[in-house]
Amino acid sequence: MTGELEGRVALVTGAGRGIGAAIARGFAERGALVVGAARSKDQLEELAAEDPEHIFAAAVDLRDEASLSGLVDLVVERHGRIDVLVNNAGVAPAADFVHEPVQQWRDTLAVNVIAPMALAQAAGRHFIAQGGGKIINIASTTGVRGKPGLVGYSASKGAVLRFTESLAAEWARHGVQVNCIAPGAFGTDAQRAVLESPDLLARRVRRIPARRMGEVSELVPLACLLAAPGSDFINGSVFVVDGGESGKL
C-alpha cells in the first residue's frame, strides 16, 4: 500500500468488526496511526494485534456521553494530535413502529447521533486549533430513503446526513472537511439473517443492480481518499455506495 496517510492520526469508532475494522486496517496499511474504539474489547484487541505499530485499541461504550471527550483526549495524549475522525459505530434495531419503545429510540439516537456529535465537537476543538481536520460520518442508504421496520434507524441516519452538511458549511473556514459515506447492503453482521438464508439473500440481491452485496473492503479506498490531504476541497458531500440500488427507478 502507498503511504498517503503516513503520520496522520485517526480515531475510528465501531472498529471491532465490519466496516469500522476494514477502515482501521486500510488507514494503518497506508501509514496512519489509528485508535480503534468500540465496546467489543476482545475484537478490538485482535485488530490491534494485527498491526500494533499502527493500531491501538480503546474499549468504550459510546452511549456513555461522559467518556466521549475523554476518548479524543486519549488519542491526543497518545499521539500528540488528531487529524481524522471516523464516526462509524451504529446500532440498527428492527421493530414494528407502533410497538417500538421510546427507550429504544433513545438508545439508537445516543449511539448514531449524539456520539458522533460529541466526538466531532471534541475533535473539532483540536482541528480548529491546528488549522484543519477530517470528519467522515458513516450513515446508510436508509438515511437517504427510509425503510419500513427500521424507522428509528432511518431517522437517525437521516440526521447524520443533515449533520454532515451543516457542520461542513460551518467549519469549512477552519480547514475542516466533513463528509459522509452512505453504504447500502454490505456483507456485515448486521446482514447476518440475510446472508444465512439463501432465499432472503436471493431476494435481497435481486433489488441491487450490481446483483450482489458489497464487500466492506470496497469502502476503504473512498474512506482513505476522504481522510487524505488530496480531498481538501471535498466538503459536505454524501457518497452513496450501494451497487446502484438507490439510483434505479
Side-chain angles (χ1 to χ4, degrees):
M1 292 293 180
T2 59
E4 65 263 33
L5 298 179
E6 190 71 39
R8 293 176 77 78
V9 176
L11 169 60
V12 180
T13 69
R17 59 188 180 181
I19 293 171
I23 290 175
R25 289 189 187 98
F27 282 5
E29 288 169 358
R30 290 161 175 81
L33 302 172
V34 181
V35 173
R39 284 187 297 171
S40 49
K41 183 178 179 181
D42 291 345
Q43 290 175 321
L44 281 176
E45 290 180 347
E46 289 177 11
L47 174 69
E50 294 176 14
D51 189 353
E53 182 180 348
H54 290 95
I55 303 175
F56 177 78
V60 63
D61 187 343
L62 296 181
R63 295 171 299 182
D64 179 8
E65 292 182 35
S67 68
L68 295 177
S69 62
L71 180 57
V72 172
D73 290 341
L74 170 67
V75 177
V76 176
E77 287 168 8
R78 183 173 181 82
H79 296 297
R81 61 186 292 117
I82 180 170
D83 301 295
V84 183
L85 167 64
V86 180
N87 283 314
N88 166 71
V91 294
D96 179 351
F97 177 70
V98 75
H99 300 300
E100 188 171 13
V102 171
Q103 186 58 50
Q104 186 161 282
W105 271 63
R106 291 193 179 103
D107 291 341
T108 299
L109 293 172
V111 176
N112 295 1
V113 180
I114 301 302
M117 167 267 170
L119 290 172
Q121 197 171 59
R125 297 186 183 102
H126 295 279
F127 292 160
I128 291 169
Q130 70 195 22
K134 308 276 190 178
I135 298 176
I136 304 168
N137 296 318
I138 308 299
S140 167
T141 51
T142 62
V144 179
R145 296 181 178 177
K147 185 173 182 178
L150 288 171
V151 176
Y153 178 69
S154 298
S156 72
K157 291 303 185 179
V160 170
L161 302 185
R162 301 291 83 78
F163 171 57
T164 297
E165 295 164 350
S166 301
L167 189 59
E170 183 166 327
W171 281 359
R173 67 184 184 275
H174 298 297
V176 178
Q177 291 83 51
V178 187
N179 292 290
C180 183
I181 300 173
F186 277 74
T188 65
D189 283 352
Q191 298 286 338
R192 182 178 300 171
V194 174
L195 294 169
E196 293 177 349
S197 167
D199 182 57
L200 288 177
L201 180 59
R203 287 161 55 192
R204 183 68 186 90
V205 165
R206 279 198 297 270
R207 300 202 299 269
I208 305 170
R211 293 297 185 265
R212 67 177 179 85
M213 297 180 76
E215 299 290 338
V216 292
S217 60
E218 294 177 290
L219 294 168
V220 174
L222 175 56
C224 291
L225 168 65
L226 296 176
S231 65
D232 286 353
F233 205 59
I234 302 173
N235 204 12
S237 296
V238 177
F239 296 89
V240 174
V241 185
D242 68 351
E245 186 174 8
S246 297
K248 66 178 185 176
L249 296 175

